[in-house]
Coordinates of all heavy atoms in Angstrom, one line a residue:
M1 N -20.8 -8.7 -40.3 CA -20.9 -9.9 -40.9 C -19.6 -10.2 -41.8 O -19.3 -11.4 -42.0 CB -22.1 -10.0 -41.8 CG -22.8 -11.3 -41.9 SD -23.2 -11.9 -40.3 CE -23.8 -13.5 -40.7
G2 N -19.0 -9.2 -42.2 CA -17.8 -9.4 -43.0 C -16.6 -10.1 -42.3 O -15.9 -10.9 -42.9
I3 N -16.5 -9.8 -41.0 CA -15.4 -10.4 -40.3 C -15.6 -11.9 -40.1 O -14.7 -12.7 -40.1 CB -15.2 -9.7 -38.9 CG1 -13.8 -10.1 -38.3 CG2 -16.3 -9.9 -37.9 CD1 -12.7 -9.5 -38.9
I4 N -16.9 -12.3 -40.0 CA -17.2 -13.7 -39.9 C -16.8 -14.4 -41.2 O -16.2 -15.5 -41.1 CB -18.7 -13.9 -39.5 CG1 -18.9 -13.4 -38.1 CG2 -19.1 -15.4 -39.7 CD1 -20.4 -13.4 -37.8
V5 N -17.1 -13.8 -42.3 CA -16.7 -14.4 -43.6 C -15.2 -14.5 -43.7 O -14.7 -15.5 -44.2 CB -17.3 -13.6 -44.8 CG1 -16.8 -14.1 -46.1 CG2 -18.8 -13.6 -44.7
I6 N -14.5 -13.5 -43.2 CA -13.0 -13.6 -43.3 C -12.5 -14.8 -42.4 O -11.6 -15.6 -42.8 CB -12.4 -12.3 -42.8 CG1 -12.6 -11.2 -43.9 CG2 -10.9 -12.4 -42.6 CD1 -12.3 -9.8 -43.4
F7 N -13.0 -14.9 -41.2 CA -12.6 -16.0 -40.4 C -13.0 -17.4 -41.0 O -12.3 -18.4 -40.8 CB -13.2 -15.9 -39.0 CG -12.4 -14.9 -38.1 CD1 -13.0 -13.8 -37.6 CD2 -11.1 -15.2 -37.7 CE1 -12.3 -12.9 -36.8 CE2 -10.4 -14.4 -36.9 CZ -11.0 -13.2 -36.5
M8 N -14.2 -17.4 -41.6 CA -14.6 -18.6 -42.3 C -13.7 -19.0 -43.5 O -13.4 -20.2 -43.7 CB -16.1 -18.5 -42.7 CG -17.0 -18.5 -41.6 SD -18.7 -18.2 -42.1 CE -19.0 -19.6 -43.1
L9 N -13.2 -18.0 -44.2 CA -12.3 -18.3 -45.3 C -11.0 -18.8 -44.7 O -10.4 -19.7 -45.3 CB -12.1 -17.1 -46.1 CG -13.3 -16.7 -47.0 CD1 -13.1 -15.3 -47.7 CD2 -13.7 -17.7 -48.0
L10 N -10.5 -18.2 -43.6 CA -9.3 -18.7 -43.0 C -9.5 -20.1 -42.5 O -8.6 -21.0 -42.6 CB -8.9 -17.8 -41.9 CG -8.3 -16.5 -42.3 CD1 -8.0 -15.6 -41.1 CD2 -7.0 -16.7 -43.1
A11 N -10.7 -20.4 -42.0 CA -11.0 -21.8 -41.5 C -11.0 -22.7 -42.6 O -10.7 -23.9 -42.5 CB -12.3 -21.8 -40.7
T12 N -11.4 -22.3 -43.8 CA -11.5 -23.2 -45.0 C -10.1 -23.6 -45.4 O -9.9 -24.7 -45.9 CB -12.3 -22.5 -46.1 OG1 -13.5 -22.1 -45.6 CG2 -12.4 -23.4 -47.3
L13 N -9.1 -22.7 -45.2 CA -7.7 -23.0 -45.6 C -7.0 -23.9 -44.5 O -5.9 -24.4 -44.8 CB -6.9 -21.7 -45.8 CG -7.4 -20.9 -46.9 CD1 -6.6 -19.6 -46.9 CD2 -7.2 -21.6 -48.2
T14 N -7.6 -24.0 -43.3 CA -7.0 -24.7 -42.2 C -6.6 -26.2 -42.5 O -5.5 -26.6 -42.1 CB -7.8 -24.6 -41.0 OG1 -8.0 -23.2 -40.7 CG2 -7.2 -25.2 -39.8
P15 N -7.4 -27.0 -43.2 CA -7.0 -28.4 -43.4 C -5.7 -28.5 -44.2 O -4.9 -29.4 -43.9 CB -8.1 -29.0 -44.3 CG -9.3 -28.2 -43.9 CD -8.8 -26.8 -43.6
F16 N -5.4 -27.5 -45.0 CA -4.1 -27.5 -45.7 C -2.9 -27.2 -44.8 O -1.8 -27.8 -45.0 CB -4.1 -26.5 -46.9 CG -5.2 -26.8 -47.9 CD1 -6.3 -26.0 -48.0 CD2 -5.1 -27.9 -48.7 CE1 -7.3 -26.2 -48.9 CE2 -6.0 -28.2 -49.7 CZ -7.1 -27.3 -49.8
L17 N -3.2 -26.4 -43.8 CA -2.1 -26.2 -42.8 C -1.9 -27.5 -42.0 O -0.7 -27.8 -41.7 CB -2.6 -25.1 -41.8 CG -2.7 -23.7 -42.3 CD1 -3.2 -22.7 -41.3 CD2 -1.3 -23.2 -42.9
F18 N -2.9 -28.2 -41.6 CA -2.8 -29.5 -40.9 C -2.1 -30.5 -41.8 O -1.2 -31.3 -41.3 CB -4.1 -30.0 -40.4 CG -4.7 -29.3 -39.2 CD1 -6.0 -28.9 -39.2 CD2 -3.9 -29.0 -38.1 CE1 -6.5 -28.3 -38.1 CE2 -4.4 -28.4 -37.0 CZ -5.7 -28.0 -37.0
I19 N -2.4 -30.6 -43.0 CA -1.7 -31.5 -43.9 C -0.2 -31.2 -44.0 O 0.6 -32.1 -44.0 CB -2.4 -31.5 -45.3 CG1 -3.8 -32.2 -45.2 CG2 -1.5 -32.3 -46.3 CD1 -4.6 -32.1 -46.4
Q20 N 0.1 -29.9 -44.1 CA 1.5 -29.5 -44.2 C 2.3 -29.9 -43.0 O 3.4 -30.2 -43.1 CB 1.6 -28.0 -44.5 CG 3.0 -27.5 -44.6 CD 3.0 -26.0 -44.8 OE1 2.0 -25.3 -44.6 NE2 4.2 -25.5 -45.0
S21 N 1.6 -29.8 -41.8 CA 2.3 -30.1 -40.6 C 2.1 -31.6 -40.2 O 2.4 -32.0 -39.0 CB 1.9 -29.2 -39.4 OG 0.5 -29.4 -39.2
N22 N 1.7 -32.4 -41.1 CA 1.5 -33.9 -40.9 C 0.6 -34.3 -39.8 O 0.8 -35.2 -39.1 CB 2.9 -34.6 -40.7 CG 3.8 -34.5 -41.9 OD1 3.3 -34.6 -43.1 ND2 5.1 -34.3 -41.7
K23 N -0.5 -33.5 -39.7 CA -1.5 -33.8 -38.7 C -2.8 -34.1 -39.5 O -3.8 -33.4 -39.6 CB -1.8 -32.6 -37.8 CG -0.6 -32.4 -36.9 CD -0.8 -31.2 -36.0 CE 0.3 -30.9 -35.1 NZ 1.6 -31.4 -35.2
K24 N -2.8 -35.3 -40.1 CA -3.9 -35.7 -41.0 C -5.2 -35.9 -40.3 O -6.3 -35.6 -40.9 CB -3.5 -37.0 -41.8 CG -2.1 -36.8 -42.4 CD -2.2 -37.1 -43.9 CE -0.8 -37.2 -44.5 NZ -0.1 -36.0 -44.6
T25 N -5.2 -36.4 -39.1 CA -6.5 -36.6 -38.4 C -7.1 -35.3 -38.1 O -8.4 -35.1 -38.2 CB -6.3 -37.3 -37.0 OG1 -5.0 -37.2 -36.6 CG2 -6.6 -38.8 -37.1
L26 N -6.4 -34.3 -37.7 CA -6.9 -32.9 -37.5 C -7.4 -32.3 -38.8 O -8.4 -31.6 -38.8 CB -5.9 -32.0 -36.8 CG -5.6 -32.3 -35.3 CD1 -4.5 -31.4 -34.8 CD2 -6.9 -32.1 -34.5
A27 N -6.8 -32.6 -39.9 CA -7.3 -32.2 -41.2 C -8.6 -32.8 -41.5 O -9.5 -32.1 -42.0 CB -6.2 -32.5 -42.3
V28 N -8.8 -34.0 -41.3 CA -10.1 -34.7 -41.5 C -11.2 -34.1 -40.6 O -12.3 -33.8 -41.0 CB -9.9 -36.2 -41.4 CG1 -11.3 -36.9 -41.4 CG2 -9.0 -36.8 -42.4
V29 N -10.8 -33.9 -39.3 CA -11.8 -33.4 -38.4 C -12.2 -32.0 -38.8 O -13.4 -31.6 -38.8 CB -11.2 -33.4 -36.9 CG1 -12.1 -32.6 -36.0 CG2 -11.1 -34.8 -36.4
Q30 N -11.2 -31.2 -39.2 CA -11.5 -29.8 -39.6 C -12.4 -29.8 -40.9 O -13.3 -29.0 -41.0 CB -10.2 -29.0 -39.8 CG -10.5 -27.6 -40.3 CD -11.1 -26.7 -39.3 OE1 -11.2 -27.1 -38.1 NE2 -11.6 -25.6 -39.7
T31 N -12.1 -30.7 -41.8 CA -12.9 -30.8 -43.0 C -14.4 -31.1 -42.7 O -15.3 -30.5 -43.3 CB -12.3 -31.9 -44.0 OG1 -10.9 -31.5 -44.2 CG2 -13.1 -31.9 -45.3
V32 N -14.6 -32.0 -41.8 CA -16.0 -32.4 -41.4 C -16.6 -31.2 -40.7 O -17.8 -30.8 -41.0 CB -16.0 -33.6 -40.5 CG1 -17.4 -33.8 -39.9 CG2 -15.5 -34.8 -41.2
L33 N -15.9 -30.5 -39.9 CA -16.5 -29.3 -39.2 C -16.7 -28.2 -40.2 O -17.7 -27.4 -40.0 CB -15.5 -28.8 -38.1 CG -15.4 -29.7 -36.9 CD1 -14.3 -29.1 -36.0 CD2 -16.7 -29.8 -36.2
L34 N -15.9 -28.1 -41.3 CA -16.2 -27.1 -42.3 C -17.5 -27.3 -43.0 O -18.2 -26.3 -43.3 CB -15.1 -27.1 -43.3 CG -13.7 -26.5 -42.9 CD1 -12.7 -26.7 -44.0 CD2 -13.9 -25.0 -42.7
V35 N -17.9 -28.5 -43.2 CA -19.2 -28.7 -43.8 C -20.3 -28.2 -43.0 O -21.2 -27.5 -43.4 CB -19.4 -30.2 -44.1 CG1 -20.8 -30.5 -44.6 CG2 -18.3 -30.7 -45.1
G36 N -20.3 -28.5 -41.7 CA -21.3 -28.0 -40.8 C -21.2 -26.5 -40.6 O -22.3 -25.8 -40.5
M37 N -20.0 -25.9 -40.7 CA -19.9 -24.5 -40.5 C -20.5 -23.8 -41.7 O -21.3 -22.8 -41.5 CB -18.4 -24.1 -40.4 CG -18.1 -22.6 -40.4 SD -16.4 -22.2 -40.4 CE -16.0 -22.5 -42.1
W38 N -20.3 -24.2 -42.9 CA -20.8 -23.6 -44.1 C -22.3 -23.8 -44.2 O -23.1 -22.9 -44.6 CB -20.1 -24.0 -45.3 CG -18.8 -23.3 -45.5 CD1 -17.6 -23.8 -45.3 CD2 -18.6 -21.9 -45.8 NE1 -16.6 -22.8 -45.5 CE2 -17.2 -21.7 -45.8 CE3 -19.5 -20.9 -46.2 CZ2 -16.7 -20.4 -46.1 CZ3 -18.9 -19.6 -46.5 CH2 -17.6 -19.4 -46.5
L39 N -22.8 -25.0 -43.8 CA -24.3 -25.2 -43.7 C -25.0 -24.3 -42.8 O -26.0 -23.7 -43.0 CB -24.6 -26.7 -43.4 CG -24.3 -27.7 -44.4 CD1 -24.5 -29.1 -43.9 CD2 -25.1 -27.5 -45.7
Y40 N -24.4 -24.1 -41.6 CA -24.9 -23.2 -40.6 C -25.0 -21.8 -41.1 O -25.9 -21.1 -41.0 CB -24.1 -23.3 -39.3 CG -24.6 -22.4 -38.2 CD1 -25.7 -22.8 -37.4 CD2 -24.0 -21.1 -38.0 CE1 -26.1 -22.0 -36.4 CE2 -24.5 -20.3 -37.0 CZ -25.5 -20.7 -36.2 OH -26.0 -19.9 -35.2
Y41 N -23.9 -21.3 -41.7 CA -23.8 -20.0 -42.2 C -24.8 -19.7 -43.3 O -25.5 -18.7 -43.3 CB -22.4 -19.7 -42.8 CG -22.2 -18.3 -43.4 CD1 -22.1 -17.2 -42.5 CD2 -22.2 -18.1 -44.7 CE1 -22.0 -15.9 -43.1 CE2 -22.1 -16.9 -45.3 CZ -22.0 -15.8 -44.4 OH -21.9 -14.5 -45.0
I42 N -24.9 -20.7 -44.3 CA -25.9 -20.5 -45.4 C -27.3 -20.5 -44.8 O -28.2 -19.7 -45.2 CB -25.7 -21.6 -46.4 CG1 -24.4 -21.4 -47.1 CG2 -26.9 -21.7 -47.4 CD1 -23.9 -22.5 -48.0
E43 N -27.6 -21.4 -43.8 CA -28.9 -21.4 -43.2 C -29.2 -20.1 -42.5 O -30.3 -19.6 -42.6 CB -29.0 -22.6 -42.3 CG -30.4 -22.8 -41.7 CD -30.5 -24.1 -40.9 OE1 -29.5 -24.8 -40.8 OE2 -31.5 -24.3 -40.2
A44 N -28.2 -19.6 -41.8 CA -28.5 -18.3 -41.1 C -28.6 -17.1 -42.0 O -29.3 -16.2 -41.7 CB -27.3 -18.1 -40.1
Q45 N -28.0 -17.2 -43.2 CA -28.1 -16.1 -44.1 C -29.4 -16.1 -44.9 O -30.0 -15.0 -45.1 CB -26.9 -16.1 -45.1 CG -25.6 -15.6 -44.6 CD -25.7 -14.2 -44.2 OE1 -26.1 -13.3 -45.0 NE2 -25.2 -13.9 -43.0
F46 N -29.8 -17.2 -45.3 CA -30.9 -17.3 -46.3 C -32.2 -17.8 -45.7 O -33.3 -17.8 -46.4 CB -30.6 -18.1 -47.5 CG -29.4 -17.5 -48.2 CD1 -28.2 -18.2 -48.3 CD2 -29.5 -16.3 -48.8 CE1 -27.1 -17.6 -48.9 CE2 -28.4 -15.7 -49.5 CZ -27.2 -16.4 -49.5
Q47 N -32.2 -18.3 -44.5 CA -33.4 -18.8 -43.8 C -33.4 -18.2 -42.4 O -32.7 -17.2 -42.1 CB -33.4 -20.3 -43.7 CG -33.4 -21.0 -45.1 CD -33.4 -22.5 -45.0 OE1 -33.3 -23.0 -43.9 NE2 -33.3 -23.1 -46.1
T48 N -34.2 -18.7 -41.5 CA -34.2 -18.3 -40.2 C -32.9 -18.8 -39.5 O -32.3 -19.8 -39.9 CB -35.4 -18.8 -39.4 OG1 -35.4 -20.2 -39.4 CG2 -36.7 -18.3 -40.0
A49 N -32.6 -18.1 -38.4 CA -31.4 -18.5 -37.7 C -31.6 -19.9 -37.0 O -32.6 -20.2 -36.4 CB -31.0 -17.5 -36.6
P50 N -30.6 -20.8 -37.2 CA -30.8 -22.1 -36.6 C -30.8 -22.0 -35.1 O -30.3 -21.1 -34.5 CB -29.5 -22.9 -37.1 CG -29.0 -22.1 -38.2 CD -29.4 -20.7 -38.0
A51 N -31.3 -23.1 -34.4 CA -31.4 -23.1 -33.0 C -30.0 -23.1 -32.4 O -29.1 -23.7 -32.9 CB -32.2 -24.3 -32.5
A52 N -29.9 -22.4 -31.2 CA -28.6 -22.5 -30.5 C -28.4 -23.9 -30.0 O -29.4 -24.6 -29.6 CB -28.6 -21.5 -29.4
F53 N -27.2 -24.3 -29.8 CA -26.8 -25.6 -29.3 C -27.2 -26.7 -30.2 O -27.4 -27.9 -29.8 CB -27.2 -25.8 -27.9 CG -26.7 -24.7 -27.0 CD1 -27.6 -23.8 -26.5 CD2 -25.4 -24.6 -26.6 CE1 -27.2 -22.8 -25.6 CE2 -24.9 -23.7 -25.8 CZ -25.8 -22.7 -25.3
S54 N -27.5 -26.5 -31.5 CA -27.7 -27.5 -32.5 C -26.4 -28.1 -33.0 O -25.3 -27.6 -32.6 CB -28.6 -27.0 -33.6 OG -27.8 -26.0 -34.4
V55 N -26.5 -29.2 -33.7 CA -25.3 -29.8 -34.2 C -24.5 -28.8 -35.1 O -23.3 -28.7 -35.0 CB -25.6 -31.1 -35.0 CG1 -24.4 -31.7 -35.7 CG2 -26.3 -32.1 -34.1
T56 N -25.2 -28.1 -36.0 CA -24.5 -27.2 -36.9 C -23.9 -26.0 -36.1 O -22.9 -25.5 -36.5 CB -25.4 -26.7 -38.1 OG1 -26.6 -26.2 -37.5 CG2 -25.7 -27.9 -39.0
W57 N -24.6 -25.6 -35.1 CA -24.1 -24.5 -34.2 C -22.8 -24.9 -33.6 O -21.8 -24.1 -33.6 CB -25.1 -24.2 -33.2 CG -24.8 -23.1 -32.3 CD1 -25.1 -21.7 -32.5 CD2 -24.2 -23.1 -31.0 NE1 -24.7 -21.0 -31.5 CE2 -24.1 -21.8 -30.6 CE3 -23.7 -24.1 -30.2 CZ2 -23.5 -21.4 -29.3 CZ3 -23.1 -23.8 -29.0 CH2 -23.0 -22.4 -28.6
F58 N -22.7 -26.1 -33.1 CA -21.5 -26.6 -32.5 C -20.4 -26.8 -33.5 O -19.2 -26.4 -33.3 CB -21.7 -28.0 -31.8 CG -22.2 -27.9 -30.4 CD1 -23.5 -28.3 -30.1 CD2 -21.5 -27.3 -29.4 CE1 -24.0 -28.2 -28.8 CE2 -22.0 -27.2 -28.1 CZ -23.2 -27.6 -27.8
M59 N -20.7 -27.3 -34.7 CA -19.8 -27.4 -35.8 C -19.2 -26.1 -36.2 O -18.0 -25.9 -36.5 CB -20.4 -28.2 -36.9 CG -20.7 -29.6 -36.6 SD -21.5 -30.5 -38.0 CE -20.1 -31.0 -38.9
F60 N -20.1 -25.1 -36.3 CA -19.6 -23.7 -36.6 C -18.6 -23.2 -35.7 O -17.5 -22.8 -36.1 CB -20.9 -22.8 -36.7 CG -20.6 -21.4 -37.1 CD1 -20.5 -21.1 -38.4 CD2 -20.4 -20.4 -36.1 CE1 -20.2 -19.8 -38.8 CE2 -20.1 -19.1 -36.5 CZ -20.0 -18.8 -37.9
Y61 N -18.9 -23.2 -34.4 CA -18.0 -22.6 -33.4 C -16.7 -23.5 -33.2 O -15.6 -23.0 -33.0 CB -18.7 -22.3 -32.1 CG -19.6 -21.1 -32.3 CD1 -21.0 -21.3 -32.4 CD2 -19.1 -19.9 -32.4 CE1 -21.8 -20.2 -32.5 CE2 -19.9 -18.8 -32.6 CZ -21.3 -18.9 -32.6 OH -22.1 -17.9 -32.8
L62 N -16.9 -24.8 -33.2 CA -15.7 -25.7 -33.1 C -14.8 -25.5 -34.3 O -13.5 -25.5 -34.1 CB -16.1 -27.1 -32.9 CG -16.7 -27.5 -31.6 CD1 -17.2 -28.9 -31.6 CD2 -15.7 -27.3 -30.5
S63 N -15.3 -25.3 -35.5 CA -14.5 -25.1 -36.6 C -13.7 -23.8 -36.5 O -12.5 -23.8 -36.8 CB -15.3 -25.1 -37.9 OG -14.5 -24.8 -39.0
L64 N -14.3 -22.8 -36.1 CA -13.6 -21.5 -35.9 C -12.6 -21.6 -34.9 O -11.4 -21.1 -35.0 CB -14.6 -20.4 -35.6 CG -15.6 -20.0 -36.7 CD1 -16.5 -18.9 -36.2 CD2 -14.8 -19.5 -37.9
I65 N -12.9 -22.2 -33.7 CA -11.9 -22.4 -32.7 C -10.7 -23.2 -33.1 O -9.5 -22.8 -32.9 CB -12.5 -23.0 -31.4 CG1 -13.5 -22.0 -30.8 CG2 -11.5 -23.4 -30.4 CD1 -14.4 -22.5 -29.7
L66 N -11.0 -24.3 -33.8 CA -9.9 -25.2 -34.2 C -9.0 -24.5 -35.3 O -7.8 -24.7 -35.3 CB -10.5 -26.5 -34.8 CG -9.5 -27.6 -35.2 CD1 -8.6 -28.0 -34.0 CD2 -10.2 -28.8 -35.7
S67 N -9.7 -23.7 -36.1 CA -8.9 -23.1 -37.2 C -8.0 -22.0 -36.6 O -6.8 -21.8 -37.0 CB -9.8 -22.4 -38.2 OG -10.5 -21.3 -37.7
E68 N -8.4 -21.3 -35.5 CA -7.5 -20.3 -34.9 C -6.4 -21.0 -34.2 O -5.3 -20.5 -34.2 CB -8.3 -19.4 -33.9 CG -9.4 -18.6 -34.6 CD -8.9 -17.8 -35.8 OE1 -7.8 -17.2 -35.7 OE2 -9.5 -17.8 -36.9
V69 N -6.6 -22.1 -33.6 CA -5.5 -22.9 -33.0 C -4.5 -23.3 -34.0 O -3.3 -23.2 -33.8 CB -6.1 -24.1 -32.2 CG1 -5.0 -25.1 -31.8 CG2 -6.9 -23.6 -31.0
A70 N -5.0 -23.8 -35.2 CA -4.1 -24.2 -36.3 C -3.3 -23.0 -36.8 O -2.1 -23.2 -37.1 CB -5.0 -24.8 -37.4
W71 N -3.9 -21.9 -36.9 CA -3.1 -20.7 -37.4 C -2.1 -20.3 -36.4 O -1.0 -19.9 -36.8 CB -4.0 -19.6 -37.8 CG -4.7 -19.8 -39.1 CD1 -5.9 -20.3 -39.4 CD2 -4.1 -19.6 -40.4 NE1 -6.2 -20.3 -40.7 CE2 -5.1 -19.9 -41.4 CE3 -2.9 -19.1 -40.8 CZ2 -4.8 -19.8 -42.7 CZ3 -2.6 -19.0 -42.2 CH2 -3.6 -19.4 -43.1
I72 N -2.4 -20.4 -35.2 CA -1.4 -20.1 -34.1 C -0.2 -21.1 -34.2 O 0.9 -20.7 -34.1 CB -2.0 -20.0 -32.7 CG1 -2.9 -18.7 -32.7 CG2 -1.0 -19.9 -31.6 CD1 -3.8 -18.6 -31.5
M73 N -0.6 -22.4 -34.3 CA 0.4 -23.4 -34.4 C 1.3 -23.2 -35.7 O 2.5 -23.3 -35.6 CB -0.2 -24.8 -34.5 CG -0.8 -25.3 -33.2 SD -1.8 -26.8 -33.4 CE -0.9 -27.8 -34.4
F74 N 0.7 -22.8 -36.8 CA 1.4 -22.5 -38.0 C 2.4 -21.4 -37.8 O 3.6 -21.4 -38.3 CB 0.4 -22.2 -39.1 CG 1.1 -21.8 -40.4 CD1 1.8 -22.7 -41.2 CD2 1.0 -20.5 -40.8 CE1 2.4 -22.3 -42.4 CE2 1.6 -20.1 -42.0 CZ 2.3 -21.0 -42.8
I75 N 1.9 -20.3 -37.2 CA 2.8 -19.1 -37.0 C 4.0 -19.4 -36.1 O 5.1 -19.1 -36.3 CB 2.0 -17.9 -36.4 CG1 1.0 -17.4 -37.5 CG2 2.9 -16.8 -35.9 CD1 0.0 -16.5 -37.1
I76 N 3.7 -20.2 -35.0 CA 4.8 -20.6 -34.1 C 5.8 -21.5 -34.8 O 7.0 -21.3 -34.6 CB 4.2 -21.3 -32.8 CG1 3.4 -20.3 -32.0 CG2 5.3 -22.0 -32.0 CD1 2.7 -20.9 -30.8
N77 N 5.3 -22.4 -35.6 CA 6.2 -23.3 -36.3 C 7.0 -22.5 -37.3 O 8.2 -22.8 -37.5 CB 5.3 -24.4 -37.0 CG 6.2 -25.5 -37.6 OD1 7.3 -25.7 -37.2 ND2 5.6 -26.1 -38.6
M78 N 6.4 -21.6 -38.0 CA 7.1 -20.8 -39.0 C 8.2 -20.0 -38.3 O 9.4 -19.9 -38.8 CB 6.2 -19.8 -39.7 CG 6.8 -19.1 -40.8 SD 5.6 -18.1 -41.7 CE 5.0 -17.0 -40.5
F79 N 8.0 -19.4 -37.1 CA 9.0 -18.6 -36.5 C 10.1 -19.5 -35.9 O 11.3 -19.1 -35.9 CB 8.4 -17.7 -35.4 CG 7.9 -16.5 -35.9 CD1 6.5 -16.2 -35.9 CD2 8.7 -15.5 -36.5 CE1 6.0 -15.1 -36.4 CE2 8.2 -14.3 -37.0 CZ 6.8 -14.1 -37.0
T80 N 9.8 -20.7 -35.4 CA 10.8 -21.5 -34.8 C 11.7 -22.1 -35.9 O 12.9 -22.2 -35.8 CB 10.2 -22.7 -34.0 OG1 9.3 -23.4 -34.8 CG2 9.5 -22.2 -32.8
K81 N 11.1 -22.4 -37.1 CA 12.0 -22.8 -38.2 C 12.9 -21.7 -38.7 O 14.0 -21.9 -39.0 CB 11.1 -23.3 -39.4 CG 10.5 -24.7 -39.2 CD 9.8 -25.1 -40.5 CE 9.2 -26.5 -40.3 NZ 8.4 -26.9 -41.5
T82 N 12.4 -20.5 -38.8 CA 13.2 -19.4 -39.2 C 14.3 -19.1 -38.2 O 15.5 -18.8 -38.5 CB 12.3 -18.1 -39.3 OG1 11.3 -18.4 -40.2 CG2 13.1 -16.9 -39.8
E83 N 14.0 -19.2 -36.9 CA 15.0 -19.0 -35.8 C 16.1 -20.0 -35.9 O 17.2 -19.8 -35.7 CB 14.3 -19.0 -34.5 CG 15.2 -18.6 -33.3 CD 14.4 -18.5 -32.0 OE1 13.5 -17.7 -31.9 OE2 14.7 -19.3 -31.1
T84 N 15.7 -21.3 -36.1 CA 16.7 -22.4 -36.2 C 17.6 -22.2 -37.4 O 18.8 -22.4 -37.4 CB 16.0 -23.7 -36.3 OG1 14.7 -23.7 -35.7 CG2 16.8 -24.8 -35.7
K85 N 17.0 -21.7 -38.5 CA 17.8 -21.5 -39.7 C 18.8 -20.4 -39.5 O 20.0 -20.5 -39.9 CB 16.9 -21.1 -40.9 CG 16.4 -22.2 -41.7 CD 15.7 -21.6 -42.9 CE 15.3 -22.7 -43.9 NZ 14.5 -22.2 -45.0
T86 N 18.4 -19.3 -38.8 CA 19.4 -18.2 -38.6 C 20.5 -18.6 -37.6 O 21.6 -18.2 -37.8 CB 18.6 -16.9 -38.1 OG1 17.9 -17.3 -36.9 CG2 17.7 -16.4 -39.2
K87 N 20.1 -19.4 -36.7 CA 21.1 -19.9 -35.7 C 22.2 -20.8 -36.4 O 23.4 -20.7 -36.2 CB 20.5 -20.7 -34.6 CG 19.9 -19.8 -33.5 CD 19.3 -20.6 -32.4 CE 18.7 -19.7 -31.4 NZ 18.1 -20.5 -30.3
T88 N 21.7 -21.6 -37.3 CA 22.7 -22.5 -38.0 C 23.5 -21.7 -39.0 O 24.6 -22.1 -39.3 CB 22.0 -23.7 -38.7 OG1 21.0 -23.2 -39.6 CG2 21.3 -24.6 -37.7
N89 N 22.9 -20.7 -39.6 CA 23.7 -19.9 -40.6 C 24.8 -19.1 -40.0 O 25.8 -18.9 -40.6 CB 22.8 -18.9 -41.3 CG 21.9 -19.7 -42.3 OD1 22.2 -20.8 -42.7 ND2 20.8 -19.0 -42.7
Y90 N 24.6 -18.7 -38.7 CA 25.6 -17.8 -38.1 C 26.7 -18.7 -37.3 O 27.7 -18.1 -36.9 CB 25.0 -16.9 -37.1 CG 24.2 -15.8 -37.8 CD1 22.8 -15.6 -37.6 CD2 24.9 -14.9 -38.7 CE1 22.1 -14.6 -38.3 CE2 24.2 -13.9 -39.4 CZ 22.8 -13.8 -39.2 OH 22.1 -12.8 -39.8
Q91 N 26.5 -19.9 -37.2 CA 27.5 -20.7 -36.4 C 28.5 -21.3 -37.3 O 28.6 -21.4 -38.4 CB 26.8 -21.8 -35.7 CG 26.0 -21.3 -34.5 CD 25.3 -22.4 -33.8 OE1 25.3 -23.6 -34.2 NE2 24.7 -22.1 -32.7

């Protein structure tokens, strides 16, 4: 269960990554998905497990998927900016 919490915390930071990369619509979408994700998690922890293929179930998994895509985009962007800086410094 601990790994899920780590991924959820990373997903919670994802809207800030989207805002930094000027993708405001994705930041809003991720924020809405975050609400469903945390509702699903709290419901699964303290009550019975929600039904599969419910709205919060979809929001939970879509939020995790979108956040992983955002982190990959962030890492790629970070390395391309670093690579461009080093190329301009050496020329």
Side-chain angles (χ1 to χ4, degrees):
M1 215 53 188
I3 193 75
I4 292 174
V5 174
I6 291 171
F7 279 116
M8 289 175 63
L9 291 174
L10 287 174
T12 305
L13 296 175
T14 302
F16 299 110
L17 293 178
F18 283 134
I19 289 171
Q20 182 184 5
S21 61
N22 293 327
K23 294 179 179 13
K24 306 233 187 299
T25 24
L26 285 175
V28 171
V29 168
Q30 179 66 13
T31 305
V32 170
L33 290 175
L34 282 174
V35 172
M37 178 185 72
W38 282 105
L39 286 175
Y40 180 83
Y41 178 75
I42 291 170
E43 188 177 351
Q45 283 295 313
F46 300 113
Q47 297 177 3
T48 60
F53 303 108
S54 64
V55 174
T56 54
W57 184 86
F58 278 112
M59 291 175 86
F60 181 83
Y61 288 106
L62 285 175
S63 177
L64 290 178
I65 291 169
L66 185 61
S67 70
E68 296 309 313
V69 168
W71 281 98
I72 291 171
M73 288 170 44
F74 173 73
I75 291 169
I76 290 172
N77 188 23
M78 188 174 59
F79 279 113
T80 55
K81 281 185 180 177
T82 306
E83 187 176 299
T84 330
K85 268 187 177 178
T86 55
K87 282 182 182 177
T88 56
N89 287 342
Y90 290 119
Q91 290 179 353

